[in-house]
Amino acid sequence: MRFGFTEDQRRFRAHVREALRSPEVRAAAAEATGADGVEPDARPLYRLLGQLGLLAVHWPVEFGGSGRPPTDAAIVAEELVRAGVPDTFHVNTIQIVGQFLLMAGSEEQKRRYLPALARGESFASVLYTEPDAGSDLGALRAVAEPEGDDYRITGTKVFSLKTRFVDLGLCAARTTPGAGKYQGISLFLVDMTAPGVTVSLIPGIGDEHFHRVDLDSVPVPGGNLIGPRDGGWPLLNEALAVERTGLDYYLKAERWFDTALGALIDDAPDSGHEDRLEQIGRWHGALTADHVLSWEVLTGLAAGRVDQLSAAVAKYHSSELAQSVAAWAVGIPTPGQRAERTGESLILDSAYREAPGLTLSAGTSEVMLQIVTAAFESVGQEEY
């Protein structure tokens, strides 16, 4: 970016926007959008997006993509959210699990799984977090016991999204218990329809439901081990840095901010809303800076640079900003809040209920600050 887009990127963005304006996509997006705690099945929408070739544009052609630059994938992500497409399937399936496979999977694993993900015919989720471990993956207790060349995984995972709809779970488990906090961890692709997998709902206030996944001696083929046995921790560190661009949180904040502005105009179109102008200006400035910050991380990744510090800063800033915007926006009057609610009121109500989890997912704000602190302490030690 720095600090604008190329002509090719602008043409590509226009192409994506045109595709997302079709009546078929708009109708499917409306059907896939949850409200008031009801979570619809968004898979039909994603199958349509897969047919349009919009899910994994940056993947190699042999794995279902279009071979475009990684920055074009960010352009697609922006336009999907701005078109009202619920983004969780895209984030989990393409940006996290699919990207992890592209980075660390074997050629056979890539050919077996990636094309179906790119076509919107298969979906994936992440199985990292555990009830007693929280965001500390070094405290996970799930165990993968060897059975010949294969494994059986036993443990419990929590707070995954869309899990009742997915086919695959990217699961972290210990293959050598007692090896050390960050040693002996391996990563597996788990068939979510395999015997021993039980998915249950965790009660919550959001329109997207969290799930608990109980794994009771679940059979996992040895071919579903990703990377080397006991070598999961370095892969997780790199994958999390790639995941933490901040773009997905920025896009939520942008949508909520724009919706709040629309509600203000609808509430009193002739009013200048002088009492809110200063805060509106501050939010606009913060969002502009956040967008640039996310694209700095993205362009670095496109150039092959994985910068954990920049990623932690982007994730911290964007998730905290989105949470703050949601808390401010819920106070904006929207017509029909008490009776026949408008689309604006539904979006802002949903934002307020979703926002608390943003500073927890993909690493808590406290963890991001620890990464930043450790980086600066390291620089200070080198100077002295």
Side-chain angles (χ1 to χ4, degrees), residues 7-57:
E7 184 60 33
D8 182 64
Q9 287 172 328
R10 286 193 287 269
R11 282 196 298 267
F12 180 66
R13 188 184 295 276
H15 163 72
V16 174
R17 283 182 178 173
E18 184 65 26
L20 294 176
R21 286 195 189 105
S22 74
E24 190 177 12
V25 171
R26 287 184 175 182
E31 289 290 327
T33 302
D36 294 328
V38 177
E39 184 178 37
D41 184 353
R43 286 176 294 183
L45 167 62
Y46 274 80
R47 293 186 188 103
L48 176 57
L49 295 174
Q51 292 169 12
L52 294 172
L54 293 179
L55 293 182
V57 297

Side-chain angles (χ1 to χ4, degrees), residues 34-265:
D36 294 328
V38 177
E39 184 178 37
D41 184 353
R43 286 176 294 183
L45 167 62
Y46 274 80
R47 293 186 188 103
L48 176 57
L49 295 174
Q51 292 169 12
L52 294 172
L54 293 179
L55 293 182
V57 297
H58 62 304
W59 290 0
V61 174
E62 62 265 34
F63 301 138
S66 302
R68 297 191 66 88
T71 45
D72 282 0
I75 289 173
V76 171
E78 289 185 347
E79 295 307 320
L80 288 175
V81 173
R82 290 166 180 168
V85 172
D87 69 338
T88 302
F89 269 143
H90 191 252
V91 171
N92 287 350
T93 300
I94 303 297
Q95 297 178 29
I96 299 179
V97 178
Q99 193 63 34
F100 188 90
L101 268 174
L102 203 61
M103 176 185 75
S106 67
E107 285 300 306
E108 194 278 331
Q109 288 169 341
K110 293 175 187 177
R111 294 187 185 282
R112 190 193 331 166
Y113 293 112
L114 290 179
L117 299 180
R119 291 193 300 266
E121 296 172 359
S122 183
F123 300 88
S125 188
V126 174
L127 304 178
Y128 294 163
T129 305
E130 297 187 1
D132 298 321
S135 294
D136 182 6
L137 293 176
L140 66 84
R141 296 182 180 179
V143 175
E145 296 180 295
E147 188 178 68
D149 293 332
D150 302 326
Y151 296 86
R152 285 190 177 271
I153 297 181
T154 298
T156 298
K157 303 292 183 176
V158 291
F159 301 130
S160 56
L161 290 169
K162 303 293 185 188
T163 318
R164 66 191 177 99
F165 299 116
V166 305
D167 312 285
L168 299 170
L170 178 59
C171 181
R174 292 197 177 276
T175 37
T176 306
K181 186 173 183 180
Y182 299 110
Q183 288 75 46
I185 296 173
S186 298
L187 295 164
F188 299 87
L189 279 178
V190 174
D191 179 356
M192 297 300 288
T193 66
V197 177
T198 302
V199 179
S200 55
L201 188 69
I202 298 176
I205 61 174
D207 292 330
E208 289 191 304
H209 300 155
F210 286 116
H211 297 87
R212 172 188 174 112
V213 180
D214 290 295
L215 306 166
D216 183 9
S217 193
V218 176
V220 179
N224 281 24
L225 170 67
I226 302 177
R229 176 172 168 165
D230 292 345
W233 182 249
L235 293 178
L236 280 170
N237 269 334
E238 185 174 358
L240 286 170
V242 171
E243 177 185 341
R244 293 167 180 160
T245 66
L247 184 66
D248 47 345
Y249 302 100
Y250 160 77
L251 290 169
K252 290 179 187 293
E254 179 193 60
R255 184 174 188 234
W256 297 340
F257 178 70
D258 289 345
T259 300
L261 290 186
L264 281 173
I265 294 171

Side-chain angles (χ1 to χ4, degrees), residues 308-326:
Q308 293 196 26
L309 174 59
S310 296
V313 171
K315 196 279 169 179
Y316 174 82
H317 187 273
S318 59
S319 61
E320 291 283 343
L321 176 61
Q323 190 176 89
S324 298
V325 168

